[in-house]
Amino acid sequence: MICHHPEAEILLDYASGSLAEEPSLAVASHLVFCALCRKEVRTLETLGGALLADVGNAEMSDGALENVMTRLDSEAPVEPTVPRQMEKPDPVLPGPIRRYIGTGFEGLRWRRMGARVKEARIASANPKFKTSLLRIKPGTRIPCHSHNGQEWTLVLKGGIIDGASHYRRGDIMLADSAHEHKPMAANDEECICLVVLDAPLRFTGLFARILSPLLGEAKHG
């Protein structure tokens, strides 16, 4: 069961095509797991299309939004389609990630970020973003840190414990500059997640100066 979802504003940006490519990858992958958010995105896409059809090049009338919502309520619901999967199923990576990187989980190349974390970087055309897949050994705690921007983390296997919240496969965790935390991989199995950053992390705990280059505070490059 999916318990943690993108905020409504993020789904709206995704549905309208205004969300950047890298966080859109995280949202699209979350939609594979989450029927609730798929339905919400489909509703937003339908609403946007209907508004454009009503408005055209003219100024929106006072009752345009109400008219569109009435029409949507009266129309038969359309079941959203799950993004198309590759021919060979992958037990870890959902279709949007596999298509984006051009390979499945077995084709990834990992580099060590210390004794308990491995990273597979995902190439991005936008240097603002750092996008990675992480493999984290069970029970590993990431040092306490905050954020210089936004972080999107999608759990693909295992789990992440962050305070009182437990994120499992398909859950998405969002953090920003107001969020200081030290998440931990759940103890039951290896954690694999997709992480998208639009700015470097800011480590705040002991040995931060030593750990920062290893765990992401250095320039994305």
Side-chain angles (χ1 to χ4, degrees):
M1 179 179 178
I2 305 300
C3 297
H4 301 277
H5 311 269
E7 298 172 352
E9 293 81 1
I10 293 177
L11 291 179
L12 177 59
D13 287 344
Y14 176 83
S16 67
S18 61
L19 188 65
E21 180 177 296
E22 290 77 8
S24 289
L25 176 63
V27 174
S29 299
H30 169 77
L31 295 182
V32 172
F33 302 104
C34 183
L36 180 65
C37 287
R38 289 200 304 271
K39 181 179 179 181
E40 180 68 17
V41 166
R42 177 57 62 89
T43 299
L44 291 168
E45 290 174 340
T46 305
L47 174 60
L51 283 172
L52 287 174
D54 274 7
V55 174
N57 295 323
E59 184 177 351
M60 184 185 296
S61 65
D62 292 339
L65 179 59
E66 290 79 3
N67 291 337
V68 170
M69 293 306 297
T70 300
R71 188 191 313 165
L72 287 177
D73 290 338
S74 65
E75 291 177 351
V78 179
E79 283 298 318
T81 57
V82 178
R84 179 179 57 82
Q85 303 295 309
M86 286 184 171
E87 292 183 3
K88 184 178 180 181
D90 189 301
V92 179
L93 302 184
I97 295 178
R98 298 203 308 275
R99 293 194 294 273
Y100 192 83
I101 63 179
T103 187
F105 184 77
E106 296 301 324
L108 293 170
R109 294 184 178 182
W110 301 92
R111 70 180 185 94
R112 289 194 174 275
M113 300 175 65
R116 301 183 63 83
V117 180
K118 293 180 181 179
E119 177 192 44
R121 289 287 295 272
I122 297 176
S124 171
N126 189 341
K128 174 183 177 180
F129 289 94
K130 176 184 176 182
T131 307
S132 303
L133 290 162
L134 297 182
R135 299 181 69 172
I136 309 170
K137 291 187 176 181
T140 300
R141 185 176 292 279
I142 304 300
C144 186
H145 64 275
S146 183
H147 306 81
N148 290 306
Q150 291 185 305
E151 176 186 45
W152 296 261
T153 300
L154 175 70
V155 178
L156 301 172
K157 181 184 177 184
I160 294 175
I161 299 171
D162 188 22
S165 299
H166 194 158
Y167 298 82
R168 299 175 176 84
R169 179 168 167 84
D171 284 333
I172 193 164
M173 178 170 64
L174 304 172
D176 57 24
S177 58
H179 192 186
E180 181 173 305
H181 61 157
K182 46 182 179 180
M184 182 183 78
N187 288 313
D188 50 352
E189 62 177 324
E190 176 184 51
C191 176
I192 299 174
C193 54
L194 172 73
V195 179
V196 178
L197 299 170
D198 67 3
L201 301 180
R202 184 171 66 252
F203 287 91
T204 57
L206 189 62
F207 305 128
R209 186 172 300 177
I210 298 174
L211 291 169
S212 292
L214 294 175
L215 294 174
E217 188 172 348
K219 287 186 178 181
H220 291 169

